[in-house]
Amino acid sequence: MRKAEIKRETKETKISLKLDLDGSGEGEIDTGIGFFNHMLELLKKHALIDLTVKAKGDIDVDYHHTVEDVGLVFGQALNEALGSRKGIARYGFASIPMDEALCETSLDLGGRPFLVMLSPMKHMFVKDFEVKLVEEFFRAVSVESRSNIHLRQVYGDEAHHVCEGLFKSFARALRSAVKIDPLEKGVPSSKGVL
């Protein structure tokens, strides 16, 4: 069973998260941040994972702690659900158009964390949500899931569309990477371990 349930509580946030990699896009999202909820809804739907997130954070200060900590917990859950990573495809890539925007994700679940996010819109806002927080979320996911994530805004001039494209392309890349490959008899690495 490729599932995980993680809880994290600090002075800044309280988060509970359930993840099922072999789901169908079900679950409830409640972070207290409307736009972030929307992005996580897209993630679970397009990755075909079941994801339930309940987060309470110091959003009266700003959104940073909540977004980053949800990323940490999601990354921990992903790492736990993957287990030894035996039999997974490991790599995923997706290029997603969203109206005038085009975004891509290349993903390696190979055990080494690294994030690259290329977007000239990092310091723009969707309502009161800074696009830079997308990078903070995925950095936390990368570290805790031990994954190499490259996100790229190829083009686009509407920040909402760019964020959607980044989350959807990550979701589709994740969907490919976590699949069980019937040809892979062990861990997908020449080292024999991930």
Side-chain angles (χ1 to χ4, degrees):
M1 302 300 287
R2 301 193 308 160
K3 297 181 180 181
E5 184 172 351
I6 306 284
K7 293 185 179 182
R8 172 187 168 98
E9 187 168 350
T10 71
K11 291 181 179 179
E12 298 166 341
T13 61
K14 182 178 181 180
I15 299 164
S16 62
L17 184 147
K18 292 181 185 177
L19 172 67
D20 182 352
L21 293 179
D22 300 305
S24 58
E26 299 299 316
E28 295 187 18
I29 308 292
D30 181 9
T31 67
I33 305 168
F35 186 72
F36 189 41
N37 290 347
H38 178 42
M39 294 301 103
L40 295 175
E41 292 283 349
L42 296 173
L43 172 55
K44 71 180 176 69
K45 176 64 176 171
H46 290 279
L48 283 183
I49 58 175
D50 288 350
L51 179 65
T52 296
V53 179
K54 180 74 174 170
K56 288 194 175 292
D58 56 357
I59 60 175
D60 57 317
V61 174
D62 73 6
Y63 296 156
H64 187 280
H65 297 143
T66 302
V67 172
E68 182 179 40
D69 286 4
V70 169
L72 291 171
V73 174
F74 178 75
Q76 290 168 0
L78 180 56
N79 186 54
E80 185 177 312
L82 285 168
S84 71
R85 305 182 190 216
K86 182 178 178 182
I88 63 168
R90 179 178 167 177
Y91 297 101
F93 172 79
S95 179
I96 298 293
M98 181 66 202
D99 293 345
E100 86 300 339
L102 182 68
C103 297
E104 297 176 343
T105 297
S106 294
L107 173 64
D108 176 10
L109 299 176
R112 291 166 33 171
F114 204 89
L115 174 74
V116 176
M117 180 173 147
L118 302 176
S119 171
M121 303 189 90
K122 282 183 189 178
H123 297 292
M124 294 189 72
F125 285 81
V126 178
K127 195 177 178 183
D128 57 352
F129 186 95
E130 188 177 16
V131 175
K132 177 74 173 165
L133 292 174
V134 172
E135 183 174 30
E136 296 303 323
F137 172 78
F138 284 114
R139 178 174 291 110
V141 172
S142 171
V143 169
E144 292 296 332
S145 67
R146 300 170 36 239
S147 301
N148 190 332
I149 304 168
H150 290 244
L151 304 163
R152 182 165 75 109
Q153 173 192 346
V154 180
Y155 45 78
D157 59 14
E158 165 51 56
H160 187 134
H161 295 162
V162 168
C163 291
E164 280 206 30
L166 292 170
F167 270 87
K168 286 177 178 177
S169 65
F170 173 78
R172 288 291 174 146
L174 181 64
R175 182 171 163 176
S176 297
V178 301
K179 277 187 183 174
I180 299 299
D181 181 346
L183 299 177
E184 181 59 65
K185 302 305 179 199
V187 173
S189 171
S190 57
K191 297 174 191 164
V193 66
L194 289 176

